[in-house]
Amino acid sequence: MNGDSIISIKNLEKIYDDGEVRTPALSGVSFDIKEGEFVAIMGPSGSGKSTLLHILGFLDRPSGGSYKFEGISMEKYSDEELAKLRNQKFGFIFQSFNLLARTSVLDNVKLPLQYGDLPEAKQDQLAGDSIEAVDMTHRLRYESSQLSGGERQRVAIARALVNNPAVIFADEPTGNLDSKSGSQVMEFVDKLHEQGHTIILITHETYTAEYAQRIIRLKDGRVDSDEKVSQRHKDGLIK
């Protein structure tokens, strides 16, 4: 991890306005995330976690404040440019996996590559490398509907990894898994961090958050606390 901030937000605000009622979802959120850092964002339902994820991942724009990614303000980009950057720079792991059910593991992992101009053979190679990284090569030709929940999430991790993104967003990645499968998934996420990826984990589970180096807690759309995780053990988390 170097000293440069890959993400810098200052006084970030998001207000939802339906024409009658203005509902603030984020109110003056500020923090930096350094390149190579592993940060967990926690908070109860309605705290603003999902809204913040959508903004950080270029899926939505803030109502106020500033968001700089790699030193450049989000405001400078058109929606089309944001979509292109999102595909190039970000990988996403979702609670619901978001895989195509009747599509092979290989083709699911290749999806982010199909927006570029890479030849098919290169797409297959990159996807194969990502699948190998999560120990799913033996399921390469299986349809995702034939996999267990833990296996599906590992495929989702491979898909998030295939573009070699600068930042991986993991949104409640263990939410639909039993504790054993959840721990295995978090070990893979932790491995990605060790390989140099910046990880932003959205979670309500303490045991997953403690894989991170730092936990930012939100409450009512504001940062309630921002603390480093005091201690962590590879084979069993301790504090």
Side-chain angles (χ1 to χ4, degrees), residues 145-219:
S145 58
Q146 297 174 293
L147 306 178
S148 70
E151 287 175 330
R152 289 181 200 178
Q153 196 57 292
R154 282 156 64 184
V155 174
I157 291 172
R159 182 186 57 196
L161 184 61
V162 74
N163 264 340
N164 192 29
V167 180
I168 293 175
F169 294 96
D171 185 12
E172 301 281 5
T174 61
N176 283 339
L177 304 176
D178 59 53
S179 58
K180 181 180 179 182
S181 296
S183 294
Q184 290 173 343
V185 163
M186 287 309 303
E187 290 294 335
F188 281 112
V189 173
D190 195 37
K191 188 188 296 183
L192 296 182
H193 170 242
E194 290 177 354
Q195 291 169 354
H197 292 281
T198 305
I199 310 288
I200 298 176
L201 169 70
I202 309 293
T203 184
H204 68 278
E205 297 170 325
T206 300
Y207 94 92
T208 57
E210 288 176 348
Y211 278 85
Q213 299 166 304
R214 174 181 164 205
I215 299 176
I216 297 172
R217 287 183 169 85
L218 298 183
K219 183 178 179 181

Side-chain angles (χ1 to χ4, degrees), residues 46-67:
S47 62
K49 299 192 305 295
S50 295
T51 300
L52 182 59
L53 169 69
H54 288 158
I55 293 172
L56 294 180
F58 290 169
L59 294 163
D60 197 4
R61 291 182 184 267
S63 305
S66 69
Y67 171 19

